[in-house]
Amino acid sequence: MLTRSEEDHIKAVYALLQEGESAFTKDIAERLRTKASSVTDMLKKLSGKSLLKHEPYYGAKLTAKGQAIALQLVRRHRLWETFLVERLGFGWDEVHEVAEQMEHVANEKLIDKLDEYLGHPHFDPHGDPIPDKQGKLRTRKTKRLNTCKPGESVRIAAVSETTDGLLRLLDAKGLRIGTTLSVQDVHAFDGSMDIKPQRGSAFSLSKDVIHHLQVENA
Amino acid sequence: MLTRSEEDHIKAVYALLQEGESAFTKDIAERLRTKASSVTDMLKKLSGKSLLKHEPYYGAKLTAKGQAIALQLVRRHRLWETFLVERLGFGWDEVHEVAEQMEHVANEKLIDKLDEYLGHPHFDPHGDPIPDKQGKLRTRKTKRLNTCKPGESVRIAAVSETTDGLLRLLDAKGLRIGTTLSVQDVHAFDGSMDIKPQRGSAFSLSKDVIHHLQVENA
DNA sequence: AAAATAAATTAGGGACGCCTAAAAAACGAT
DNA sequence: ATCGTTTTTTAGGCGTCCCTAATTTATTTT
Ligand SMILES: [Mn+2]
Ligand SMILES: [Mn+2]
Ligand SMILES: [Mn+2]
Ligand SMILES: [Mn+2]
Protein backbone atom coordinates (compact mmCIF):
# COMPACT_ATOMS: atom_id res chain seq x y z
CA MET A 1 0.00 0.00 0.00
CA LEU A 2 1.30 3.41 -0.95
CA THR A 3 0.94 6.55 1.11
CA ARG A 4 -0.68 9.66 -0.23
CA SER A 5 2.70 11.32 -0.56
CA GLU A 6 4.17 8.41 -2.46
CA GLU A 7 1.21 8.44 -4.81
CA ASP A 8 1.48 12.16 -5.42
CA HIS A 9 5.16 11.83 -6.25
CA ILE A 10 4.53 9.03 -8.73
CA LYS A 11 1.82 11.08 -10.38
CA ALA A 12 4.11 14.11 -10.60
CA VAL A 13 6.83 12.03 -12.22
CA TYR A 14 4.32 10.64 -14.66
CA ALA A 15 3.08 14.08 -15.61
CA LEU A 16 6.60 15.41 -16.12
CA LEU A 17 7.51 12.46 -18.30
CA GLN A 18 4.71 13.48 -20.65
CA GLU A 19 6.67 16.66 -21.27
CA GLY A 20 10.26 15.45 -21.31
CA GLU A 21 12.66 12.55 -21.26
CA SER A 22 13.21 12.61 -17.52
CA ALA A 23 11.47 14.02 -14.44
CA PHE A 24 13.73 16.38 -12.53
CA THR A 25 13.88 16.91 -8.81
CA LYS A 26 13.24 20.63 -9.01
CA ASP A 27 10.17 20.26 -11.20
CA ILE A 28 8.69 17.56 -9.01
CA ALA A 29 9.22 19.75 -5.97
CA GLU A 30 7.57 22.68 -7.69
CA ARG A 31 4.52 20.65 -8.67
CA LEU A 32 4.07 19.26 -5.19
CA ARG A 33 4.92 22.54 -3.46
CA THR A 34 7.67 20.88 -1.50
CA LYS A 35 11.47 21.13 -1.43
CA ALA A 36 14.04 19.47 -3.64
CA SER A 37 15.62 17.66 -0.70
CA SER A 38 12.29 16.13 0.24
CA VAL A 39 11.88 14.93 -3.31
CA THR A 40 15.31 13.32 -3.33
CA ASP A 41 14.34 11.39 -0.20
CA MET A 42 11.15 10.20 -1.82
CA LEU A 43 12.82 9.26 -5.09
CA LYS A 44 15.14 7.01 -3.15
CA LYS A 45 12.23 5.43 -1.35
CA LEU A 46 10.24 4.83 -4.52
CA SER A 47 13.33 3.59 -6.27
CA GLY A 48 13.70 1.05 -3.45
CA LYS A 49 10.16 -0.11 -4.18
CA SER A 50 11.03 -0.49 -7.88
CA LEU A 51 8.40 2.02 -8.92
CA LEU A 52 10.89 4.28 -10.62
CA LYS A 53 14.55 4.53 -11.58
CA HIS A 54 16.44 7.39 -10.08
CA GLU A 55 19.61 8.39 -11.89
CA PRO A 56 21.17 10.80 -9.38
CA TYR A 57 21.53 14.27 -10.87
CA TYR A 58 19.70 13.18 -14.00
CA GLY A 59 16.14 12.79 -12.81
CA ALA A 60 13.75 9.86 -12.62
CA LYS A 61 11.79 7.62 -14.96
CA LEU A 62 8.94 5.31 -14.01
CA THR A 63 9.26 1.55 -14.21
CA ALA A 64 6.44 -0.41 -15.81
CA LYS A 65 5.07 -1.02 -12.33
CA GLY A 66 5.29 2.67 -11.48
CA GLN A 67 3.62 3.68 -14.70
CA ALA A 68 0.75 1.29 -14.11
CA ILE A 69 0.19 2.87 -10.71
CA ALA A 70 0.39 6.36 -12.17
CA LEU A 71 -2.22 5.48 -14.76
CA GLN A 72 -4.56 4.14 -12.10
CA LEU A 73 -4.16 7.38 -10.17
CA VAL A 74 -4.85 9.45 -13.25
CA ARG A 75 -7.87 7.26 -13.87
CA ARG A 76 -9.22 7.83 -10.40
CA HIS A 77 -8.54 11.54 -10.52
CA ARG A 78 -10.30 12.07 -13.81
CA LEU A 79 -13.25 9.83 -12.96
CA TRP A 80 -13.86 11.77 -9.77
CA GLU A 81 -13.57 15.05 -11.66
CA THR A 82 -16.15 13.78 -14.09
CA PHE A 83 -18.43 12.75 -11.25
CA LEU A 84 -18.10 16.12 -9.56
CA VAL A 85 -18.96 18.06 -12.70
CA GLU A 86 -21.55 15.80 -14.29
CA ARG A 87 -23.37 14.56 -11.23
CA LEU A 88 -22.79 17.03 -8.45
CA GLY A 89 -22.83 20.15 -10.59
CA PHE A 90 -19.40 21.52 -9.75
CA GLY A 91 -17.79 23.97 -12.16
CA TRP A 92 -14.81 22.64 -14.10
CA ASP A 93 -12.63 25.16 -12.27
CA GLU A 94 -13.60 23.80 -8.84
CA VAL A 95 -12.85 20.12 -9.05
CA HIS A 96 -9.11 19.71 -9.17
CA GLU A 97 -8.33 20.07 -5.47
CA VAL A 98 -11.17 17.80 -4.44
CA ALA A 99 -10.16 15.11 -6.92
CA GLU A 100 -6.61 15.49 -5.67
CA GLN A 101 -7.88 14.10 -2.37
CA MET A 102 -10.39 11.59 -3.66
CA GLU A 103 -7.88 9.91 -5.96
CA HIS A 104 -6.20 8.47 -2.87
CA VAL A 105 -9.21 6.48 -1.72
CA ALA A 106 -8.00 3.00 -2.53
CA ASN A 107 -10.71 0.53 -3.45
CA GLU A 108 -10.81 -1.18 -6.77
CA LYS A 109 -14.51 -1.95 -6.71
CA LEU A 110 -15.25 1.68 -5.98
CA ILE A 111 -13.52 2.85 -9.14
CA ASP A 112 -15.02 0.10 -11.26
CA LYS A 113 -18.51 0.99 -10.08
CA LEU A 114 -17.93 4.70 -10.45
CA ASP A 115 -16.69 4.19 -13.99
CA GLU A 116 -19.77 2.15 -14.79
CA TYR A 117 -22.06 4.68 -13.11
CA LEU A 118 -20.62 7.45 -15.26
CA GLY A 119 -21.03 5.36 -18.41
CA HIS A 120 -17.34 4.60 -18.95
CA PRO A 121 -16.38 8.13 -20.00
CA HIS A 122 -13.31 8.53 -22.18
CA PHE A 123 -12.55 12.15 -21.32
CA ASP A 124 -12.73 14.24 -18.17
CA PRO A 125 -14.27 17.71 -17.85
CA HIS A 126 -11.06 19.32 -19.11
CA GLY A 127 -10.90 17.07 -22.16
CA ASP A 128 -8.13 14.92 -20.76
CA PRO A 129 -8.33 11.21 -21.57
CA ILE A 130 -9.37 8.80 -18.81
CA PRO A 131 -7.29 5.59 -18.75
CA ASP A 132 -9.43 2.47 -18.79
CA LYS A 133 -9.13 -0.30 -16.19
CA GLN A 134 -6.12 -1.67 -18.03
CA GLY A 135 -4.52 1.76 -18.12
CA LYS A 136 -5.07 2.27 -21.80
CA LEU A 137 -5.49 5.86 -22.97
CA ARG A 138 -7.52 6.95 -25.95
CA THR A 139 -5.28 9.10 -28.14
CA ARG A 140 -6.42 11.83 -30.47
CA LYS A 141 -4.51 14.01 -32.86
CA THR A 142 -4.85 17.51 -31.50
CA LYS A 143 -2.82 20.66 -31.93
CA ARG A 144 -2.58 23.83 -29.93
CA LEU A 145 -4.81 26.65 -31.09
CA ASN A 146 -1.83 29.00 -31.36
CA THR A 147 -0.49 26.84 -34.21
CA CYS A 148 -3.65 27.35 -36.29
CA LYS A 149 -3.87 29.67 -39.28
CA PRO A 150 -6.64 32.08 -40.24
CA GLY A 151 -9.46 30.28 -41.98
CA GLU A 152 -9.12 27.05 -40.01
CA SER A 153 -12.23 25.68 -38.38
CA VAL A 154 -11.61 23.64 -35.24
CA ARG A 155 -13.28 22.14 -32.16
CA ILE A 156 -11.93 22.56 -28.64
CA ALA A 157 -10.81 19.12 -27.48
CA ALA A 158 -9.03 19.88 -24.22
CA VAL A 159 -7.55 22.59 -22.05
CA SER A 160 -3.98 21.78 -21.07
CA GLU A 161 -2.07 22.86 -17.97
CA THR A 162 -5.29 24.17 -16.52
CA THR A 163 -5.47 26.69 -13.76
CA ASP A 164 -8.71 27.74 -12.14
CA GLY A 165 -8.35 31.30 -13.44
CA LEU A 166 -7.94 30.15 -17.03
CA LEU A 167 -10.99 27.93 -16.75
CA ARG A 168 -13.08 30.75 -15.37
CA LEU A 169 -11.99 33.01 -18.22
CA LEU A 170 -13.01 30.38 -20.75
CA ASP A 171 -16.33 30.00 -18.96
CA ALA A 172 -16.88 33.73 -19.14
CA LYS A 173 -16.17 33.74 -22.89
CA GLY A 174 -18.52 30.81 -23.43
CA LEU A 175 -15.74 28.49 -24.54
CA ARG A 176 -15.86 24.87 -23.43
CA ILE A 177 -14.98 21.35 -24.55
CA GLY A 178 -16.70 20.73 -27.88
CA THR A 179 -17.09 24.38 -28.84
CA THR A 180 -16.50 24.84 -32.56
CA LEU A 181 -14.82 28.01 -33.77
CA SER A 182 -13.00 29.45 -36.76
CA VAL A 183 -9.75 31.37 -36.70
CA GLN A 184 -10.20 34.78 -38.21
CA ASP A 185 -6.94 36.60 -37.71
CA VAL A 186 -3.62 36.28 -35.93
CA HIS A 187 -1.75 39.35 -34.71
CA ALA A 188 1.99 39.05 -34.82
CA PHE A 189 2.44 42.00 -32.48
CA ASP A 190 1.13 40.33 -29.32
CA GLY A 191 0.38 36.81 -30.49
CA SER A 192 -3.32 37.31 -29.95
CA MET A 193 -5.91 35.65 -32.13
CA ASP A 194 -9.36 36.69 -33.32
CA ILE A 195 -11.76 33.79 -33.29
CA LYS A 196 -15.42 33.32 -34.04
CA PRO A 197 -17.41 30.62 -32.27
CA GLN A 198 -19.92 28.80 -34.45
CA ARG A 199 -22.71 30.48 -32.52
CA GLY A 200 -22.01 34.01 -31.32
CA SER A 201 -19.89 36.85 -32.52
CA ALA A 202 -16.14 37.09 -32.92
CA PHE A 203 -13.72 38.18 -30.21
CA SER A 204 -10.07 38.12 -29.41
CA LEU A 205 -8.01 35.74 -27.25
CA SER A 206 -4.59 36.52 -25.86
CA LYS A 207 -1.51 34.43 -26.53
CA ASP A 208 -1.61 33.29 -22.89
CA VAL A 209 -4.99 31.68 -23.50
CA ILE A 210 -4.70 30.15 -26.95
CA HIS A 211 -1.66 28.02 -26.28
CA HIS A 212 -3.62 26.19 -23.58
CA LEU A 213 -6.37 25.20 -25.99
CA GLN A 214 -5.98 21.82 -27.65
CA VAL A 215 -8.12 21.64 -30.77
CA GLU A 216 -8.99 19.11 -33.44
CA ASN A 217 -10.26 19.68 -36.95
CA ALA A 218 -13.96 20.46 -36.97
CA MET B 1 -7.05 21.21 9.70
CA LEU B 2 -7.21 17.82 11.39
CA THR B 3 -5.31 14.73 10.33
CA ARG B 4 -7.02 11.51 9.51
CA SER B 5 -5.88 10.01 12.79
CA GLU B 6 -7.18 12.94 14.80
CA GLU B 7 -10.52 12.67 13.05
CA ASP B 8 -10.77 8.96 13.67
CA HIS B 9 -10.05 9.45 17.36
CA ILE B 10 -12.73 12.11 17.69
CA LYS B 11 -15.21 9.87 15.96
CA ALA B 12 -14.34 6.98 18.25
CA VAL B 13 -14.82 9.14 21.33
CA TYR B 14 -18.15 10.32 19.96
CA ALA B 15 -19.32 6.78 19.34
CA LEU B 16 -18.30 5.62 22.81
CA LEU B 17 -20.07 8.54 24.44
CA GLN B 18 -23.31 7.30 22.87
CA GLU B 19 -22.91 4.21 25.03
CA GLY B 20 -21.55 5.62 28.26
CA GLU B 21 -20.69 8.64 30.32
CA SER B 22 -17.06 8.73 29.33
CA ALA B 23 -14.88 7.32 26.54
CA PHE B 24 -12.09 5.16 27.94
CA THR B 25 -8.62 4.77 26.55
CA LYS B 26 -8.86 1.03 26.22
CA ASP B 27 -12.12 1.15 24.28
CA ILE B 28 -10.87 3.82 21.93
CA ALA B 29 -7.75 1.76 21.25
CA GLU B 30 -9.85 -1.30 20.56
CA ARG B 31 -12.08 0.54 18.10
CA LEU B 32 -9.17 2.01 16.22
CA ARG B 33 -7.08 -1.15 16.40
CA THR B 34 -4.26 0.70 18.04
CA LYS B 35 -2.64 0.65 21.49
CA ALA B 36 -3.69 2.38 24.67
CA SER B 37 -0.47 4.35 24.87
CA SER B 38 -1.04 5.74 21.39
CA VAL B 39 -4.51 6.80 22.42
CA THR B 40 -3.20 8.58 25.49
CA ASP B 41 -0.84 10.57 23.27
CA MET B 42 -3.67 11.54 20.97
CA LEU B 43 -6.03 12.43 23.80
CA LYS B 44 -3.43 14.87 25.07
CA LYS B 45 -3.04 16.36 21.64
CA LEU B 46 -6.78 16.75 21.07
CA SER B 47 -7.19 18.09 24.56
CA GLY B 48 -4.60 20.73 23.67
CA LYS B 49 -6.75 21.69 20.70
CA SER B 50 -9.80 21.98 22.96
CA LEU B 51 -11.68 19.31 21.07
CA LEU B 52 -12.12 17.12 24.13
CA LYS B 53 -11.49 17.03 27.84
CA HIS B 54 -9.21 14.32 29.07
CA GLU B 55 -9.52 13.43 32.73
CA PRO B 56 -6.49 11.17 33.22
CA TYR B 57 -7.54 7.69 34.29
CA TYR B 58 -11.20 8.63 33.87
CA GLY B 59 -11.56 8.86 30.10
CA ALA B 60 -12.50 11.65 27.73
CA LYS B 61 -15.55 13.71 26.83
CA LEU B 62 -15.95 15.89 23.74
CA THR B 63 -16.20 19.65 23.99
CA ALA B 64 -18.91 21.41 22.00
CA LYS B 65 -16.31 22.06 19.32
CA GLY B 66 -15.25 18.43 19.29
CA GLN B 67 -18.80 17.21 19.12
CA ALA B 68 -19.57 19.48 16.16
CA ILE B 69 -16.60 17.98 14.34
CA ALA B 70 -17.68 14.46 15.22
CA LEU B 71 -21.14 15.11 13.87
CA GLN B 72 -19.74 16.42 10.60
CA LEU B 73 -17.63 13.27 10.29
CA VAL B 74 -20.62 11.07 10.98
CA ARG B 75 -22.54 13.07 8.42
CA ARG B 76 -19.87 12.55 5.78
CA HIS B 77 -19.51 8.87 6.58
CA ARG B 78 -23.21 8.15 6.33
CA LEU B 79 -23.76 10.25 3.22
CA TRP B 80 -20.99 8.39 1.42
CA GLU B 81 -22.42 5.07 2.58
CA THR B 82 -25.76 6.11 1.18
CA PHE B 83 -24.16 7.12 -2.10
CA LEU B 84 -22.29 3.85 -2.38
CA VAL B 85 -25.40 1.75 -1.80
CA GLU B 86 -28.03 3.80 -3.59
CA ARG B 87 -26.03 5.05 -6.55
CA LEU B 88 -23.14 2.72 -7.07
CA GLY B 89 -24.95 -0.46 -6.12
CA PHE B 90 -22.72 -1.63 -3.28
CA GLY B 91 -24.12 -4.06 -0.75
CA TRP B 92 -24.72 -2.65 2.72
CA ASP B 93 -22.05 -4.99 4.04
CA GLU B 94 -19.40 -3.56 1.70
CA VAL B 95 -19.48 0.14 2.35
CA HIS B 96 -18.09 0.73 5.79
CA GLU B 97 -14.37 0.55 5.00
CA VAL B 98 -14.71 2.69 1.91
CA ALA B 99 -16.70 5.36 3.75
CA GLU B 100 -14.09 5.21 6.49
CA GLN B 101 -11.67 6.65 3.94
CA MET B 102 -14.01 8.97 2.08
CA GLU B 103 -15.17 10.70 5.26
CA HIS B 104 -11.74 12.33 5.49
CA VAL B 105 -12.02 14.20 2.21
CA ALA B 106 -12.45 17.70 3.52
CA ASN B 107 -14.51 19.99 1.35
CA GLU B 108 -17.69 21.58 2.56
CA LYS B 109 -19.17 22.17 -0.87
CA LEU B 110 -18.62 18.52 -1.73
CA ILE B 111 -20.74 17.34 1.16
CA ASP B 112 -23.43 19.92 0.58
CA LYS B 113 -23.73 18.91 -3.06
CA LEU B 114 -23.63 15.22 -2.24
CA ASP B 115 -26.39 15.68 0.31
CA GLU B 116 -28.49 17.51 -2.24
CA TYR B 117 -27.75 14.91 -4.93
CA LEU B 118 -28.97 12.17 -2.65
CA GLY B 119 -32.13 14.11 -1.80
CA HIS B 120 -31.16 15.05 1.78
CA PRO B 121 -31.52 11.55 3.17
CA HIS B 122 -32.25 11.24 6.89
CA PHE B 123 -30.97 7.70 7.35
CA ASP B 124 -28.07 5.71 5.97
CA PRO B 125 -28.22 2.16 4.56
CA HIS B 126 -27.97 0.69 8.06
CA GLY B 127 -30.81 2.84 9.37
CA ASP B 128 -28.51 5.20 11.24
CA PRO B 129 -29.53 8.85 11.25
CA ILE B 130 -27.56 11.30 9.10
CA PRO B 131 -26.84 14.59 10.86
CA ASP B 132 -27.89 17.62 8.83
CA LYS B 133 -25.55 20.48 7.95
CA GLN B 134 -26.07 21.93 11.41
CA GLY B 135 -25.31 18.58 13.02
CA LYS B 136 -28.89 17.94 14.03
CA LEU B 137 -29.95 14.30 14.25
CA ARG B 138 -33.43 13.01 13.66
CA THR B 139 -34.41 10.91 16.66
CA ARG B 140 -36.86 8.05 16.68
CA LYS B 141 -38.12 5.90 19.47
CA THR B 142 -36.81 2.46 18.72
CA LYS B 143 -36.21 -0.59 20.86
CA ARG B 144 -34.14 -3.68 20.39
CA LEU B 145 -35.96 -6.67 18.95
CA ASN B 146 -34.85 -8.85 21.87
CA THR B 147 -37.01 -6.71 24.17
CA CYS B 148 -40.16 -7.48 22.18
CA LYS B 149 -42.84 -9.90 23.27
CA PRO B 150 -44.73 -12.49 21.25
CA GLY B 151 -47.59 -10.90 19.32
CA GLU B 152 -45.83 -7.59 18.71
CA SER B 153 -45.65 -6.35 15.15
CA VAL B 154 -42.66 -4.17 14.34
CA ARG B 155 -40.61 -2.68 11.51
CA ILE B 156 -36.83 -2.90 11.29
CA ALA B 157 -35.50 0.63 11.70
CA ALA B 158 -31.77 0.08 12.03
CA VAL B 159 -29.04 -2.46 12.59
CA SER B 160 -26.75 -1.43 15.40
CA GLU B 161 -23.07 -2.29 15.90
CA THR B 162 -23.00 -3.73 12.44
CA THR B 163 -20.42 -6.17 11.22
CA ASP B 164 -20.20 -7.35 7.65
CA GLY B 165 -21.04 -10.91 8.67
CA LEU B 166 -24.21 -9.86 10.47
CA LEU B 167 -25.33 -7.81 7.47
CA ARG B 168 -24.76 -10.69 5.12
CA LEU B 169 -26.78 -12.97 7.37
CA LEU B 170 -29.67 -10.50 7.37
CA ASP B 171 -29.41 -10.25 3.60
CA ALA B 172 -29.60 -14.02 3.34
CA LYS B 173 -32.72 -14.09 5.51
CA GLY B 174 -34.33 -11.32 3.49
CA LEU B 175 -34.32 -8.89 6.39
CA ARG B 176 -33.56 -5.23 5.67
CA ILE B 177 -34.42 -1.72 6.79
CA GLY B 178 -38.18 -1.31 6.57
CA THR B 179 -39.01 -5.00 6.75
CA THR B 180 -42.14 -5.56 8.83
CA LEU B 181 -42.39 -8.65 10.99
CA SER B 182 -44.28 -10.08 13.91
CA VAL B 183 -42.83 -11.82 16.94
CA GLN B 184 -44.19 -15.31 17.29
CA ASP B 185 -42.31 -16.89 20.11
CA VAL B 186 -39.37 -16.35 22.40
CA HIS B 187 -37.33 -19.28 23.72
CA ALA B 188 -35.91 -18.76 27.18
CA PHE B 189 -33.44 -21.60 26.72
CA ASP B 190 -31.17 -19.90 24.16
CA GLY B 191 -32.72 -16.46 23.82
CA SER B 192 -33.73 -17.16 20.26
CA MET B 193 -36.85 -15.73 18.73
CA ASP B 194 -39.29 -16.99 16.12
CA ILE B 195 -40.42 -14.23 13.80
CA LYS B 196 -42.61 -14.00 10.75
CA PRO B 197 -41.95 -11.36 8.11
CA GLN B 198 -45.05 -9.76 6.64
CA ARG B 199 -44.34 -11.57 3.40
CA GLY B 200 -42.76 -14.98 3.67
CA SER B 201 -42.86 -17.74 6.20
CA ALA B 202 -41.68 -17.76 9.78
CA PHE B 203 -38.18 -18.62 10.92
CA SER B 204 -35.96 -18.33 13.93
CA LEU B 205 -33.28 -15.77 14.80
CA SER B 206 -30.55 -16.30 17.39
CA LYS B 207 -30.01 -14.07 20.38
CA ASP B 208 -26.81 -12.82 18.75
CA VAL B 209 -28.82 -11.43 15.88
CA ILE B 210 -31.94 -10.02 17.50
CA HIS B 211 -30.22 -7.70 19.91
CA HIS B 212 -28.64 -5.89 16.92
CA LEU B 213 -32.01 -5.14 15.39
CA GLN B 214 -33.55 -1.79 16.29
CA VAL B 215 -37.25 -1.83 15.62
CA GLU B 216 -40.19 0.56 15.81
CA ASN B 217 -43.87 -0.21 16.12
CA ALA B 218 -45.34 -1.18 12.78
C1' DA C 1 -6.33 -3.52 54.65
C1' DA C 2 -3.49 -5.88 51.66
C1' DA C 3 -2.90 -8.26 47.51
C1' DA C 4 -4.01 -9.19 42.90
C1' DT C 5 -5.67 -7.49 38.68
C1' DA C 6 -6.91 -4.22 35.23
C1' DA C 7 -6.33 0.11 33.06
C1' DA C 8 -3.79 4.08 31.99
C1' DT C 9 0.22 6.75 31.72
C1' DT C 10 5.10 7.64 31.04
C1' DA C 11 9.54 6.68 28.91
C1' DG C 12 11.95 5.77 25.07
C1' DG C 13 12.36 4.68 20.35
C1' DG C 14 11.35 3.83 15.14
C1' DA C 15 9.43 5.10 10.50
C1' DC C 16 7.86 8.69 7.84
C1' DG C 17 7.64 13.04 5.59
C1' DC C 18 8.99 17.29 5.80
C1' DC C 19 12.44 21.16 6.57
C1' DT C 20 17.13 24.23 6.43
C1' DA C 21 21.95 24.52 5.66
C1' DA C 22 26.04 22.80 3.71
C1' DA C 23 28.46 20.27 0.26
C1' DA C 24 28.84 18.34 -4.27
C1' DA C 25 27.87 17.95 -9.02
C1' DA C 26 26.37 19.65 -13.45
C1' DC C 27 25.80 23.32 -16.62
C1' DG C 28 26.55 27.70 -19.27
C1' DA C 29 29.25 31.50 -20.37
C1' DT C 30 32.99 33.40 -21.09
C1' DA D 1 39.54 25.43 -19.15
C1' DT D 2 37.67 28.07 -15.42
C1' DC D 3 34.18 30.65 -12.99
C1' DG D 4 29.72 31.53 -11.46
C1' DT D 5 25.13 29.79 -11.31
C1' DT D 6 21.81 26.33 -10.89
C1' DT D 7 20.50 21.91 -9.46
C1' DT D 8 20.89 18.07 -6.63
C1' DT D 9 22.30 15.54 -2.87
C1' DT D 10 23.71 14.89 1.90
C1' DA D 11 23.58 15.85 6.78
C1' DG D 12 21.09 16.77 10.57
C1' DG D 13 16.87 17.84 12.82
C1' DC D 14 11.70 18.28 13.93
C1' DG D 15 6.77 16.84 14.50
C1' DT D 16 3.48 13.13 13.96
C1' DC D 17 1.90 8.73 14.91
C1' DC D 18 2.70 4.56 16.11
C1' DC D 19 4.97 0.85 19.05
C1' DT D 20 6.90 -1.99 23.50
C1' DA D 21 8.23 -2.00 28.18
C1' DA D 22 8.09 -0.10 32.62
C1' DT D 23 5.62 2.35 36.00
C1' DT D 24 1.72 4.31 38.24
C1' DT D 25 -3.06 4.52 39.48
C1' DA D 26 -7.57 2.57 40.08
C1' DT D 27 -10.46 -1.30 41.01
C1' DT D 28 -11.66 -5.77 42.62
C1' DT D 29 -10.91 -9.74 45.43
C1' DT D 30 -9.75 -11.94 49.46
MN1 LIG E 1 -3.36 13.82 -4.78
MN1 LIG F 1 -8.86 17.14 -15.34
MN1 LIG G 1 -12.05 7.07 9.05
MN1 LIG H 1 -23.74 3.11 8.46
Side-chain angles (χ1 to χ4, degrees):
Chain A
M1 198 73 297
L2 299 178
T3 65
R4 172 165 181 176
S5 181
E6 289 172 327
E7 290 187 339
D8 280 335
H9 279 78
I10 288 173
K11 213 162 55 107
V13 171
Y14 174 83
L16 289 165
L17 289 175
Q18 301 294 104
E19 309 273 300
E21 261 299 292
S22 195
F24 293 102
T25 306
K26 187 184 90 90
D27 300 320
I28 300 169
E30 198 169 285
R31 253 176 193 270
L32 301 179
R33 288 199 182 70
T34 180
K35 302 295 170 182
S37 55
S38 307
V39 172
T40 301
D41 285 353
M42 187 57 86
L43 291 180
K44 276 183 196 156
K45 196 175 162 211
L46 294 174
S47 183
K49 294 190 180 192
S50 299
L51 299 178
L52 52 79
K53 259 178 80 167
H54 181 212
E55 200 78 64
Y57 294 103
Y58 294 93
K61 292 191 212 311
L62 292 174
T63 61
K65 214 166 127 196
Q67 186 169 42
I69 289 171
L71 283 163
Q72 285 314 302
L73 287 166
V74 168
R75 173 171 162 79
R76 293 186 210 158
H77 185 100
R78 293 181 181 166
L79 283 173
W80 282 121
E81 282 191 345
T82 304
F83 170 72
L84 294 171
V85 169
E86 301 211 337
R87 303 297 166 125
L88 296 195
F90 274 78
W92 67 348
D93 59 315
E94 303 174 310
V95 295
H96 188 76
E97 269 316 303
V98 183
E100 202 57 53
Q101 295 182 58
M102 308 242 278
E103 71 191 1
H104 303 290
V105 175
N107 186 284
E108 197 181 332
K109 189 166 185 177
L110 173 63
I111 299 304
D112 290 350
K113 294 233 178 217
L114 179 64
D115 185 36
E116 189 188 340
Y117 185 58
L118 297 173
H120 305 289
H122 291 119
F123 298 97
D124 84 357
H126 311 107
D128 292 316
I130 300 174
D132 68 15
K133 194 169 160 61
Q134 282 69 45
K136 203 158 276 167
L137 280 164
R138 177 153 306 198
T139 53
R140 290 176 298 182
K141 36 187 175 354
T142 65
K143 52 191 170 187
R144 292 184 184 258
L145 181 55
N146 56 300
T147 67
C148 295
K149 303 272 170 275
E152 281 193 66
S153 196
V154 296
R155 183 173 37 247
I156 297 176
V159 185
S160 49
E161 296 103 46
T162 61
T163 54
D164 296 351
L166 168 64
L167 295 172
R168 278 193 295 273
L169 182 151
L170 295 174
D171 253 357
K173 305 271 184 193
L175 299 177
R176 57 210 58 195
I177 304 300
T179 298
T180 298
L181 56 88
S182 60
V183 177
Q184 308 234 287
D185 207 353
V186 177
H187 302 286
F189 174 66
D190 62 356
S192 70
M193 180 181 272
D194 296 343
I195 61 146
K196 188 194 165 303
Q198 193 160 48
R199 81 201 62 207
S201 47
F203 54 85
S204 172
L205 287 176
S206 74
K207 182 182 66 164
D208 294 330
V209 168
I210 60 178
H211 85 275
H212 284 288
L213 295 178
Q214 299 281 348
V215 298
E216 55 193 350
N217 292 322
Chain B
M1 198 72 298
L2 299 178
T3 65
R4 171 164 182 177
S5 181
E6 288 173 329
E7 289 187 339
D8 280 335
H9 279 79
I10 288 173
K11 214 162 54 106
V13 171
Y14 174 83
L16 288 165
L17 289 175
Q18 303 293 105
E19 309 273 300
E21 262 298 293
S22 194
F24 293 102
T25 306
K26 187 184 89 88
D27 300 321
I28 300 169
E30 197 169 287
R31 253 178 193 268
L32 300 179
R33 287 196 183 73
T34 181
K35 302 295 169 182
S37 56
S38 307
V39 172
T40 302
D41 286 353
M42 187 57 87
L43 291 180
K44 276 184 196 155
K45 195 175 162 212
L46 294 174
S47 183
K49 295 191 179 190
S50 300
L51 300 177
L52 52 78
K53 260 179 77 168
H54 182 212
E55 200 77 66
Y57 295 102
Y58 294 94
K61 290 189 214 313
L62 292 174
T63 62
K65 214 166 126 196
Q67 187 169 42
I69 289 172
L71 283 163
Q72 284 316 302
L73 287 166
V74 169
R75 172 170 163 78
R76 292 186 210 159
H77 185 101
R78 292 181 182 166
L79 282 173
W80 282 121
E81 281 190 346
T82 304
F83 169 73
L84 293 171
V85 169
E86 301 210 337
R87 303 296 166 127
L88 296 195
F90 275 76
W92 68 348
D93 58 315
E94 302 174 310
V95 297
H96 188 76
E97 269 317 304
V98 184
E100 202 57 53
Q101 295 181 58
M102 307 240 277
E103 71 191 359
H104 302 290
V105 175
N107 186 283
E108 197 180 331
K109 189 166 186 177
L110 173 63
I111 299 304
D112 290 349
K113 294 237 178 212
L114 179 65
D115 185 35
E116 189 189 340
Y117 186 58
L118 297 173
H120 305 290
H122 291 119
F123 298 97
D124 84 356
H126 310 107
D128 292 315
I130 300 174
D132 69 15
K133 196 170 160 60
Q134 282 69 45
K136 202 159 276 167
L137 280 164
R138 176 153 307 198
T139 52
R140 293 176 296 182
K141 37 189 175 352
T142 65
K143 54 190 170 187
R144 291 183 184 258
L145 181 54
N146 56 300
T147 67
C148 295
K149 302 273 170 275
E152 282 193 67
S153 194
V154 295
R155 183 173 35 245
I156 298 175
V159 185
S160 49
E161 297 102 46
T162 60
T163 54
D164 296 350
L166 169 63
L167 294 172
R168 278 193 294 274
L169 181 152
L170 295 174
D171 253 357
K173 304 271 184 193
L175 300 176
R176 55 210 59 193
I177 305 300
T179 298
T180 299
L181 55 89
S182 61
V183 178
Q184 309 235 288
D185 206 353
V186 178
H187 301 285
F189 173 66
D190 62 355
S192 70
M193 179 181 272
D194 296 343
I195 61 148
K196 188 194 164 303
Q198 193 161 47
R199 83 201 60 207
S201 46
F203 54 86
S204 173
L205 287 176
S206 73
K207 181 182 68 165
D208 295 329
V209 168
I210 60 178
H211 84 275
H212 284 289
L213 295 178
Q214 299 281 348
V215 299
E216 54 193 352
N217 292 324

